[in-house]
Amino acid sequence: MSEAAIHSVTAPVARPELLASLDPLLREWLPRQRWFAGKGRPVTGFSLVTANELLPSTAQLGLLHLLVRAHQPLTPAQGAGAQPGDCYQLLLGVREALPPHLAPALIGHVEEGPLAGHTVYEALHDPRPADVLLEALRTRARVGELRFERDRRQEIRGDLIPRLITAEQSNSSLVFGDTFILKLLRRIVPGVNPDLELPLTLAREGCPRVPAPTAWMAADLDGETYTLGVLQPYVQGAVDGWELALSELAKESELAKDGCRDGEGFTGEARALGRATAEVHTALARALPTVTLGHVQMELLADGMTERLATAAQAVPALRPYAAGLRTAFEALADLASEGRTWTAQRIHGDLHLGQCLRAPSGEWSLIDFEGEPSKPLAERRMPQPPLRDIAGMLRSFDYAAHAVPGALGSARAGGGTPVPAVPDWADICRAAYCAGYAEVAGRDPRADPVLLRAYETDKAIYEVLYEARHRPDWLPVPMAAIRRLAASP
């Protein structure tokens, strides 16, 4: 399909009755999606932000692009001035009848309004709508408020077969022919998303550790830009760090049963991953402004950590016996800042762990998913922060992997205690190797700043305790093991 064809078959949908007809279907379907952020609170209604036809719904197949705000009761943390609900990006396929292979994508049958008598479904399961998205990116189409951009230096073929990745959490991804991956953001906020901003910045810096964006989707609304999706090269044959670590751990566990160790295991990978992290950090520090954090800023940081500890201890009784010991990590940070110590802050990944890293068949590591924590405000995610925040997240991830080998969690559930790692010193060895690799590039070992590193790692472990208690109680022993260690640290 040519660019002219894209323009000729698409148009804004300015019909309030459209949303009214979809309302009962969306109330049932939307809260069940894994990327829906408002779980546990009822949806009281919807408001339409934008609606555009990417394929006309009068044809055998229609494709609607919607930005819809889901209204929900405000939480105490949101305050009176907050938006009435989160805005979500929806891609709805429209057919008179749904083929059997698309049955899992069903949203529902529309009984009234402009789509009466039609079936609507999650369009990303359908190759034809996915092709339309890729063609719009290839041709730099404009559709109502929607803008499709691409790097003119990179070619996008139009004959790539799409497939939906089903393992996403907060977003959705389509792979096109093992050549590109299109990440579609689901919860949309105004402003340029770091998942586009930082990879573009790193590409300009010539940093090879992050796949350079090939194309991207955006919406221009009321003077604001909303990032909707990013197309990047797909690293064929790559394995994410979490899966690779678990695979290596399983091998080492078997060797340990026989009374031997191979001496290397994941250590070399951890060191290489440390180097890759440092390359990304140093490139971001070159390209974007850095700031100095002094007494006032660090006191605020320590106060925020202390408040999160109090909130978590109130919600999770198991945390309370360790609260005093954990609090010393934040008090030590505030004391050091009051003595005149300063720290440099810069743009960082913001949510770094083994699952955010890819190892190519060549052995090279890449960092992905620079969106940060989606639950945090975009302005907060884009703030400069000490690089040790990323490093602490990775150190916690090694600890999680060590306890995730089959058998460790099972023993904890059976005995009600701490899971015993299948390879007891694995996490410590990998943590040390990662920090050493980081130092080889950055020129400074993260362990040389133990006070800030302990504070960030403690804050992360507290977050993990709260998350596991709410969502995965069987996993609670994993962060609790770290809590006991961190609370006893000098």
Side-chain angles (χ1 to χ4, degrees), residues 112-133:
E112 58 185 21
L115 300 179
H118 288 76
T119 298
V120 293
Y121 62 100
E122 167 59 86
L124 299 183
H125 289 264
D126 193 344
R128 176 67 181 114
D131 286 341
V132 171
L133 290 176

Side-chain angles (χ1 to χ4, degrees), residues 286-343:
R286 286 195 308 267
L288 298 172
T290 62
V291 297
T292 299
L293 304 181
H295 179 212
V296 173
Q297 295 91 340
M298 297 306 288
E299 190 174 66
L300 289 173
L301 178 65
D303 287 346
M305 292 175 171
T306 303
E307 289 174 11
R308 287 191 287 275
L309 169 60
T311 300
Q314 185 175 10
V316 186
L319 197 57
R320 294 171 192 168
Y322 306 99
L326 297 171
R327 198 177 299 114
T328 63
F330 311 140
E331 292 168 347
L333 179 60
D335 290 344
L336 192 58
S338 68
E339 296 170 3
R341 172 69 188 275
T342 61
W343 287 266

Side-chain angles (χ1 to χ4, degrees), residues 11 30 47 60 80 94 134 142 148-149 152 192 234 237 295-296 304 309 312 322 426 458 467:
L30 190 60
S47 56
Q60 185 179 4
V94 182
L134 187 65
R142 299 290 188 273
F148 297 84
E149 302 285 359
R152 294 176 182 270
V192 178
Y234 181 72
H295 179 212
V296 173
L309 169 60
Y322 306 99
W426 184 89
T458 301
Y467 179 88

Side-chain angles (χ1 to χ4, degrees), residues 53-64 92-99 102 118-119 121 123 126-130 132:
E53 286 185 322
L54 299 183
L55 284 175
S57 53
T58 54
Q60 185 179 4
L61 167 66
L63 176 59
L64 291 175
L92 306 183
V94 182
R95 290 176 180 263
E96 290 185 357
L98 205 59
L102 291 176
H118 288 76
T119 298
Y121 62 100
D126 193 344
R128 176 67 181 114
V132 171

Side-chain angles (χ1 to χ4, degrees), residues 1 38 72 130 149 163 174 200 225 235 267 351 366 385 407 411 442:
M1 186 183 293
Q72 295 183 274
E149 302 285 359
R163 71 177 188 275
L174 288 163
L200 280 176
T225 294
V235 185
T267 308
D351 188 24
S366 299
Q385 301 177 69
S411 64

